Amino acid sequence: MAGTQYLDTAQGRRIAYHRTEGRGPCIVFLGGLKSDMEGTKAVHLEAWAQAQGRAYLRFDYSGHGESSGTFEEGCIGDWHEDTVAAIAALTEGPVVVIGSSMGGWQALLLARAMPERIAGMVTIAAAPDFTEEGYWASFSDAQKQALEEVGQVELPSDYMEPYVITKRMIEDGRKQLVLRDPLELPFRVRCLQGTADTAVSTETAVRLLEHATCENMRLTLVKDADHRFSDGPCLGMIEQAVLDVLGDG
């Protein structure tokens, strides 16, 4: 496997990535919050794309994995800039985006920024607007006060060390909300959601389905699948969803 390569962005960040050459549309994997491009889904889908001779791109947002910066410095808008920069510089023509968790929000922001580049979209436990609807809405008065006075709060995670949520992340997140204004998705969309997901609710998945304007959008609920959505059957469902939006299903 080729080594990690790096892209220097206009914002002064260095983005680590792996790119596979092949036929288009290029498949682009957008990972979740504090995840990285070495995750099970990202690496599995790379091997699957390679086996089919398809172009594929996985990368780390700034403050994630091998990219520059620290997580605490970043916010949704920064990672959106990273995504736009990576796709603009490292792909040509149409792309199929696969967005996992926070990457689902990033995929929707990308659809708003450059809809003409997207040939299809697959979301996995998409978490649009979670900084506002999830974090801020659930913060206690003491947490909101700490955010204002200290500039950050720590939240426990089921999957790793606590998340440090900064005041900047919350305030920037309000500028990136996608479920409060019209959301046009003029391409095929397939949404996958596990019913045992403790990080993103099925209600969020249904809300996205009902909110978006899309002529060909489907939501699949998978009984007992958790937020990772990375066991064998789930990975197979992601593969099928990609083929579906490509029209090869």
Side-chain angles (χ1 to χ4, degrees):
M1 182 180 293
T4 302
Q5 296 180 277
Y6 294 89
L7 169 70
D8 293 315
T9 73
Q11 293 80 23
R13 299 190 282 267
R14 173 159 283 197
I15 304 303
Y17 70 91
H18 284 257
R19 181 175 61 182
T20 300
E21 301 297 334
R23 73 180 190 276
C26 183
I27 298 167
V28 181
F29 187 83
L30 305 179
L33 191 72
K34 295 199 81 172
S35 183
D36 61 48
M37 63 175 171
E38 298 301 326
T40 301
K41 293 186 289 292
V43 173
H44 172 88
L45 289 166
E46 178 181 68
W48 176 76
Q50 288 174 340
Q52 297 205 0
R54 296 185 184 277
Y56 183 84
L57 174 67
R58 56 185 170 102
F59 67 92
D60 287 329
Y61 311 111
S62 52
H64 291 69
E66 299 176 67
S67 290
S68 68
T70 66
F71 174 78
E72 290 76 18
E73 293 172 333
C75 62
I76 302 300
D78 289 351
W79 303 324
H80 172 57
E81 290 175 345
D82 296 343
T83 301
V84 170
I87 288 178
L90 304 174
T91 70
E92 295 180 357
V95 298
V96 167
V97 288
I98 305 174
S100 175
S101 193
M102 190 271 286
W105 189 357
Q106 292 295 336
L108 298 169
L109 288 170
L110 189 70
R112 196 164 70 182
M114 47 172 62
E116 72 285 350
R117 290 291 309 278
I118 301 179
M121 180 184 295
V122 176
T123 67
I124 307 157
D129 300 4
F130 71 83
T131 55
E132 190 72 9
E133 308 289 354
Y135 291 161
W136 180 256
S138 65
F139 281 171
S140 65
D141 289 342
Q143 286 174 311
K144 291 179 179 178
Q145 183 176 354
L147 201 69
E148 190 63 36
E149 296 177 355
V150 182
Q152 65 184 46
V153 295
E154 287 191 0
L155 297 181
S157 167
D158 291 341
Y159 300 101
M160 58 191 81
E161 71 275 4
Y163 290 141
V164 174
I165 305 304
T166 64
K167 180 180 179 182
R168 179 171 182 252
M169 181 184 287
I170 295 297
E171 292 181 342
D172 171 82
R174 291 178 179 141
K175 303 173 186 176
Q176 316 298 335
L177 302 177
V178 294
L179 296 180
R180 301 188 179 191
D181 296 307
L183 180 62
E184 301 282 343
L185 303 177
F187 38 75
R188 294 184 183 188
V189 180
R190 299 294 178 264
C191 304
L192 304 172
Q193 174 71 42
T195 64
D197 190 330
T198 58
V200 177
S201 67
T202 54
E203 287 79 9
T204 298
V206 172
R207 184 180 174 194
L208 171 59
L209 180 75
E210 293 178 339
H211 177 74
T213 299
C214 181
E215 293 184 356
N216 193 331
M217 185 176 188
R218 297 175 192 165
L219 166 63
T220 300
L221 299 180
V222 184
K223 185 173 175 61
D224 296 333
D226 64 13
H227 191 64
R228 288 188 175 92
F229 210 86
S230 58
D231 64 14
C234 286
L235 292 172
M237 293 186 72
I238 300 169
E239 295 170 6
Q240 185 56 50
V242 174
L243 292 174
D244 207 12
V245 298
L246 284 167
D248 296 342

